Amino acid sequence: MILIHDIIEILLMKNKLTKPEIFCIYNANGGFIGELSYFIKKYIKGFNCAMCDITHNKIRIKGEWKRKQAEFDYDLKALHLDEQPEMIHDFTKNKAPCVIGITNNKLQLLISDEELRAINGDVNLFFEKLNYTIRNIYNQKG
């Protein structure tokens, strides 16, 4: 026998939004050649990737980034330009660096390049901004 409580719970489950996957997109290619190219562009030509500044110090991933990423409530991945699946690549073209969310195959820009630049490499500020944005866009506790 199905109770009213069960029906309400089923309806709530049906309408519940799937937890978004979060992707941080660098404005650089990966691998040894990509990393070397970025290093040269950054330190010789003055090129800058705001997402790279958040996740990396001069030569490696920041310890604070690793800690915050491990504690984060959502699936959070960082991708280089050449590591993106086609669907993400098409969406982020000319937007990188940026942060996007994917829920039910729907892509959403969460943090733009301009907003990443304003964060100025601060890992804590990045996660505060990301949590705030997730709460507002997806109505979820972040």
Side-chain angles (χ1 to χ4, degrees):
M1 176 176 190
I2 297 179
L3 303 172
I4 298 289
H5 176 268
D6 295 330
I7 293 171
I8 292 171
E9 190 169 277
I10 290 168
L11 289 173
L12 288 173
M13 294 280 290
K14 183 178 179 185
N15 292 324
K16 185 179 178 185
L17 188 62
T18 305
K19 203 171 192 182
E21 290 181 275
I22 311 299
F23 292 90
C24 302
I25 310 299
Y26 296 118
N27 192 15
N29 287 323
F32 178 75
I33 299 297
E35 297 286 339
L36 181 62
S37 174
Y38 177 75
F39 186 83
I40 291 168
K41 284 195 255 181
K42 179 175 176 107
Y43 293 105
I44 294 176
K45 297 182 179 180
F47 178 81
N48 188 23
C49 168
M51 191 70 236
C52 299
D53 292 343
I54 292 166
T55 62
H56 289 72
N57 57 30
K58 289 185 179 182
I59 55 171
R60 67 178 62 138
I61 295 178
K62 293 177 180 177
E64 184 68 11
W65 171 263
K66 287 181 185 179
R67 217 169 13 268
K68 290 283 194 176
Q69 184 182 22
E71 296 168 355
F72 196 55
D73 289 335
Y74 299 89
D75 185 17
L76 176 69
K77 294 181 180 90
L79 297 174
H80 293 93
L81 293 173
D82 59 345
E83 298 167 340
Q84 300 176 87
E86 186 176 351
M87 178 176 76
I88 294 174
H89 177 268
D90 292 347
F91 184 81
T92 63
K93 190 171 187 171
N94 299 320
K95 294 178 186 160
C98 61
V99 180
I100 64 166
I102 303 177
T103 305
N104 300 326
N105 288 323
K106 183 180 179 213
L107 286 77
Q108 173 81 41
L109 181 66
L110 302 180
I111 304 177
S112 69
D113 177 31
E114 183 179 334
E115 292 169 308
L116 289 171
R117 288 180 191 281
I119 290 169
N120 200 30
D122 187 314
V123 174
N124 290 316
L125 188 56
F126 171 81
F127 279 96
E128 287 174 20
K129 169 73 174 161
L130 185 55
N131 276 317
Y132 175 82
T133 303
I134 288 169
R135 279 194 309 272
N136 286 315
I137 290 178
Y138 298 110
N139 283 330
Q140 294 192 6
K141 183 179 173 246

